[in-house]
Amino acid sequence: VPGRIVVVGSGAAGIGAAAAAKAIDPSAEVTIYSGSGDAAGGFDRLFLAGPQTCLDAGIVLRHGPRITAIDLDRRAVDVEGEGAAGWDRLVITAGSEPAGAGALPTDLEGLYAVGNIPSDEEWDRVLAGAKVAVVVEATAPGLEMVTALAERGIETHLVDPRASTLAGAADPDIAAPVEESWAEMGVKTHFNTRVEGLLGEGRVRGVRTSEGELPADVVVVCSRPPAGNDLAAAAGLVVSSGGGIKVDERMATSAAGVWAAGECIDLPGGARFPLQDSGSQAYAQGRVAGTNAAGGSRAYQPAYVPWSLPAGRWTLGGVSFGETQATAAGMPYVLGKATGISRARYYPDVKKVTVKLLAEPGSLRLIGAQMVGGEGIKERADFLGMAVKMGITLTDLAFMENVYSPPIGALNEPIAVAAQNGLATLEASR
Ligand SMILES: Cc1cc2nc3c(=O)[nH]c(=O)nc-3n(C[C@H](O)[C@H](O)[C@H](O)COP(=O)(O)OP(=O)(O)OC[C@H]3O[C@@H](n4cnc5c(N)ncnc54)[C@H](O)[C@@H]3O)c2cc1C
């Protein structure tokens, strides 16, 4: 009987864990320690209805106090200013280092990390006086930041050590339209370029890069923050050299009765997502951790994660592997690619939709997808995620039925055409 379940952190993973635990065992006493008095932090940013949902479910949400230590022997956490609180099951969802700002100097005005962007009003004030901005790293939040700054009319520079946008997750040909649209919006991209230092005293003046200096009024660092696991490591849980708590596919840690989920973990078996760190993945992991902590049984299947985000004038998306990742993993694949349209050609705002499908040679089971387009990319990613999970093949997709409704969907669904092209290429090579 779980009895008391304590959840450390109220982010996407924490809220997912608490809600799932309470659903599995309504009699469990579930308490979340948010570690932050800021109601706009953690999951509140993602799930605006979160606090009320917690209260409605009978979950105790403690905004404010941080957990300062975990005692595995006594099965208790030390709550800042309050002392020990006992638990029968513990779920750690402490996220990453606050704001990913750990390595950044705190005394430079105009320097921000993606997680410590001030509230709307203050951010408006900062940007009102900015003419030039530098965004460091084309990560998912970096892409959104670049687009938003450029749309405000700020001269925006993107600096990234890799060769293209969202490298690894998005194949270069899929990311290319985004980069073209940024160029149209005045964004200057500096790929294959490392940031080597910050310029300015008291106030940021720009960045020093491997290719020279870039002046800026505002610098926003969007690099992936390190996992923040001092608590877990001090308690004696196994933490990898990269900083993530080790868990198995049930999100169980190395200690009995302790689970972990979200940005604070290393994925089981060293798996990697197409996009590391997203609220949707943290939430799904949290639900698995919470279910198991409350006595249920669920395993996490990371390989099917669909992803999608707007960038420039486009929306990117995908499932599991793209060509870049598959090639890096030495994984053979059959490729089908097509460019279609999002709605009937004669309708206003019709947009190109490019779909790449990767299938396992032989079985032709779908193993990944990459997309760029406008409307409908998110829904296609969700659909293709399920297709990968269910073992759908290129042949199935080539003959799929789809909605034809001129204002919202073209006769030829780009997914089906990509699959048909993949089969045709395969046939031609025989
Ligand atoms: C600007 C921005 C935009 C984003 N956009 C998206 C998006 O569109 N889609 C998407 O899927 N993801 C998005 N993300 C990513 C997403 O927010 C994170 O991946 C997700 O929040 C991770 O969830 P988590 O629960 O692991 O960690 P977090 O949400 O960071 O939560 C960690 C929690 O642990 C608490 N905590 C830490 N230490 C302690 C302690 N000692 N005691 C008690 N509590 C503690 C923190 O206060 C916090 O409540 C975005 C992130 C940023 C910064």
Side-chain angles (χ1 to χ4, degrees):
V1 181
R4 297 161 303 171
I5 299 176
V6 162
V7 179
V8 183
S10 66
I15 201 68
K22 197 70 182 167
I24 288 287
D25 181 358
S27 70
E29 190 186 296
V30 182
T31 307
I32 305 177
Y33 289 92
S34 81
S36 156
D38 176 8
F43 80 87
D44 292 332
R45 254 192 347 240
L46 288 157
F47 302 95
L48 292 176
Q52 194 54 48
T53 312
C54 280
L55 295 178
D56 291 348
I59 295 164
V60 179
L61 175 56
R62 300 291 318 281
H63 265 312
R66 289 183 75 74
I67 303 301
T68 52
I70 296 168
D71 188 328
L72 296 177
D73 296 330
R74 281 192 303 136
R75 301 219 150 197
V77 287
D78 279 350
V79 185
E80 197 174 41
E82 295 182 10
W87 47 265
D88 301 296
R89 305 290 169 96
L90 180 69
V91 186
I92 304 173
T93 63
S96 316
E97 285 289 327
L104 299 178
T106 52
D107 55 351
L108 267 188
E109 220 185 303
L111 171 66
Y112 297 90
V114 68
N116 74 353
I117 304 297
S119 63
D120 291 356
E121 215 172 284
E122 170 67 4
W123 191 229
D124 276 346
R125 194 188 59 72
V126 170
L127 295 185
K131 291 198 167 46
V132 186
V134 167
V135 175
V136 181
E137 284 208 37
T139 54
L143 268 53
E144 294 187 20
M145 184 59 70
V146 166
T147 307
L149 292 172
E151 274 172 350
R152 274 181 180 248
I154 296 172
E155 180 186 320
T156 305
H157 295 255
L158 170 65
V159 184
D160 191 289
R162 297 161 306 172
S164 61
T165 296
L166 214 58
D171 291 340
D173 59 334
I174 289 294
V178 171
E179 290 162 15
E180 283 159 25
S181 72
W182 276 338
E184 287 161 20
M185 294 163 81
V187 173
K188 314 259 186 317
T189 49
H190 307 263
F191 290 111
N192 300 308
T193 304
R194 286 185 318 281
V195 170
E196 296 181 334
L198 295 159
L199 304 173
E201 272 174 31
R203 156 153 270 301
V204 80
R205 211 165 37 73
V207 294
R208 197 179 62 251
T209 78
S210 51
E211 306 300 313
E213 292 188 356
L214 281 175
D217 308 307
V218 174
V219 174
V220 187
V221 178
C222 297
S223 312
R224 181 177 184 232
N229 283 318
D230 294 352
L231 264 185
L237 292 173
V238 175
V239 171
S240 75
S241 55
I245 299 173
K246 289 254 186 196
V247 293
D248 64 15
E249 70 283 355
R250 300 178 69 245
M251 300 286 123
T253 69
S254 55
V258 183
W259 281 260
E263 288 187 356
C264 64
I265 64 161
D266 274 349
L267 285 175
R272 282 188 67 80
F273 286 135
L275 265 190
Q276 288 294 110
D277 303 335
S278 88
S280 45
Q281 292 152 5
Y283 185 64
Q285 292 163 10
R287 291 190 61 76
V288 170
T291 297
N292 293 329
S297 178
R298 188 158 284 280
Y300 182 61
Q301 297 173 307
Y304 314 118
V305 177
W307 60 273
S308 181
L309 75 160
R313 297 193 170 122
W314 296 92
T315 301
L316 295 168
V319 179
S320 295
F321 297 98
E323 280 198 274
T324 314
Q325 282 180 317
T327 306
M331 187 183 283
Y333 58 86
V334 172
L335 181 71
K337 182 175 176 180
T339 297
I341 46 177
S342 60
R343 48 177 75 175
R345 201 166 295 281
Y346 49 84
Y347 252 86
D349 297 330
V350 57
K351 222 157 175 187
K352 280 187 186 169
V353 178
T354 297
V355 175
K356 283 166 74 175
L357 302 174
L358 280 72
E360 186 180 58
S363 74
L364 297 187
R365 284 167 70 129
L366 192 67
I367 53 173
Q370 292 265 301
M371 290 174 286
V372 58
E375 60 205 337
I377 293 295
K378 174 240 182 274
E379 289 78 7
R380 286 184 176 90
D382 289 343
F383 164 73
L384 290 172
M386 203 53 166
V388 172
K389 189 167 184 167
M390 301 312 289
I392 296 290
T393 67
L394 276 193
T395 316
D396 296 325
L397 292 172
F399 292 96
M400 70 182 267
E401 290 186 33
N402 62 272
V403 173
Y404 168 52
S405 177
I408 54 172
L411 184 60
N412 288 311
E413 164 53 43
I415 290 174
V417 182
Q420 290 157 16
N421 289 347
L423 293 179
T425 310
L426 207 57
E427 196 55 43
S429 69
R430 285 207 172 110

